[in-house]
Amino acid sequence: MTENRVNALVERLLQINWTERADQRVSQALLMEEYLRRSALWAKEYSGGWLFSDVAAMVDPAVRASPEALQRIESGLPIWVNSITRRTIEYALHFAALSDAGAPLPDLPNPFEPLMLLFERGNIFSRDGAGFIDVDFLGIRRGRLSDHLKDEPRAPETLAELDELDWAELAKGLERELPALPEGAQLMISEDGDPDHRRHIRFVRDEGGLVATLAVDDSPEEEIAAGGRRPPAPAGASHERGLSPTSPQTPEQIRALADAVIVALRKWRGVTEPAALQYRAWQSETGEKIYMHKLRLKPEMTE
């Protein structure tokens, strides 16, 4: 038996950055729900165990991934990766071994692929004693096998589609947090790893309302407004330019501003995923930190 798929999965897993990324929790939660759906389909097919089970053992218990492959994974994972995550990775390797062995398989989707994508998006999972599966701080109801026997997938499989889910969630987070930004406070969203904040979006709440500006590099750049683009600013103008022509007040205006911010980040700043972003919010006069958990971005680490 060759181990092309087993070895490919080992290499894939060893490339993972296990970071617990809050900005991708929505896509990760849906990937867990998709795993539950696929696991239920396989359990029904073989009348076997359902949740976090060794599916390969139900198909052909004689087919196993090699001890060498299992040892590479065991020694390559960070020490804090918990036992249930390690166990499902082992089961995924055994399942890959079925294909390498040419074992006949039913026309069902790979039960472990959603978990592999979940791990690649930066998170482990755990189980609590109240019937929930925890993906960081998001709880997914375990339910019963029959609850998950559905034909419609719960999550896409492509990284681009998963990223779209997380961009949409960031827009929703802005819609929730911006109206609550107190007077005299600022919110800055910048790219992680840019300590000088050369490129950022700043929201300021003053007595006149909410003002949003885009900071750019040394070259002049177009302003971005809810609903369209504006002509390029003249050379020598301020490098921090308005995102909104008027202070947004209504939910519709806030939503339009949030959409304009996402466009600015993706199209003009070239940010490929929310994971590349961080935020800092504070009171201008006192410097007191403000936490905006609904953004689901990582806070900037400051002294």
Side-chain angles (χ1 to χ4, degrees):
M1 178 183 73
T2 61
E3 289 200 331
N4 293 335
R5 298 206 179 193
V6 170
N7 289 334
L9 184 55
V10 169
E11 295 299 330
R12 179 181 173 188
L13 289 164
L14 291 178
Q15 295 300 313
I16 290 177
N17 178 20
W18 302 86
T19 57
E20 294 193 338
R21 288 156 60 168
D23 55 276
Q24 295 187 342
R25 286 179 191 146
V26 171
S27 60
Q28 290 166 333
L30 291 176
L31 286 167
M32 177 57 74
E33 292 180 6
E34 175 62 8
Y35 163 74
L36 295 176
R37 184 187 78 89
R38 295 187 183 193
S39 180
L41 293 174
W42 281 88
K44 180 183 178 184
E45 179 75 16
Y46 286 94
S47 301
W50 166 43
L51 200 58
F52 309 117
S53 296
D54 187 353
V55 176
M58 294 190 289
V59 177
D60 186 344
V63 177
R64 303 277 86 181
S66 68
E68 292 78 14
L70 297 177
Q71 180 56 40
R72 283 192 66 199
I73 283 294
E74 183 61 28
S75 61
L77 291 176
I79 191 171
W80 54 265
V81 173
N82 60 16
S83 60
I84 191 169
T85 298
R86 292 174 183 270
R87 189 161 63 248
T88 53
I89 287 174
E90 178 182 338
Y91 294 161
L93 291 171
H94 292 322
F95 188 84
L98 291 174
S99 296
D100 288 338
L105 298 173
D107 186 21
L108 292 173
N110 184 324
F112 296 103
E113 180 60 20
L115 291 183
M116 301 305 104
L117 286 169
L118 185 153
F119 299 150
E120 286 178 321
R121 296 181 83 73
N123 229 315
I124 61 174
F125 68 91
S126 60
R127 299 174 66 176
D128 66 14
F132 286 86
I133 302 164
D134 293 328
V135 180
D136 202 2
F137 294 109
L138 281 183
I140 295 95
R141 183 175 174 272
R142 182 181 61 195
R144 299 168 296 179
L145 183 148
S146 58
D147 296 330
H148 301 280
L149 289 173
K150 300 175 182 179
D151 295 328
E152 188 69 24
R154 294 290 297 127
E157 281 195 52
T158 69
L159 295 179
E161 290 174 303
L162 291 166
D163 284 341
E164 288 297 327
L165 290 174
D166 294 317
W167 280 115
E169 188 62 23
L170 176 55
K172 291 179 183 178
L174 287 167
E175 290 179 43
R176 299 183 188 110
E177 293 285 14
L178 289 178
L181 189 68
E183 185 172 333
Q186 299 187 47
L187 164 65
M188 180 185 293
I189 297 176
S190 60
E191 295 175 66
D192 190 20
D194 179 16
D196 297 326
H197 306 110
R198 292 173 300 166
R199 303 191 293 181
H200 65 259
I201 290 177
R202 184 196 303 269
F203 303 89
V204 179
R205 173 83 69 180
D206 57 24
E207 65 276 3
L210 181 66
V211 178
T213 54
L214 170 69
V216 302
D217 296 322
D218 294 336
S219 58
E221 184 160 326
E222 296 179 1
E223 287 191 8
I224 307 161
R229 299 166 58 183
R230 296 181 178 180
S238 168
H239 297 312
E240 195 168 82
R241 305 194 178 91
L243 276 163
S244 52
T246 59
S247 177
Q249 302 294 337
T250 68
E252 291 75 17
Q253 290 173 327
I254 293 289
R255 186 175 303 113
L257 176 58
D259 291 341
V261 167
I262 299 302
V263 170
L265 289 168
R266 300 182 70 177
K267 189 171 183 179
W268 278 271
R269 294 273 50 85
V271 180
T272 58
E273 56 178 345
L277 299 171
Q278 62 185 359
Y279 85 91
R280 181 162 65 97
W282 71 99
Q283 277 289 351
S284 300
E285 290 189 4
T286 65
E288 180 183 358
K289 292 182 180 180
I290 299 173
Y291 291 97
M292 306 188 112
H293 302 293
K294 294 175 183 177
L295 291 178
R296 289 180 173 163
L297 296 177
K298 54 191 168 188
E300 179 183 353
M301 302 302 293
T302 58
E303 295 181 0

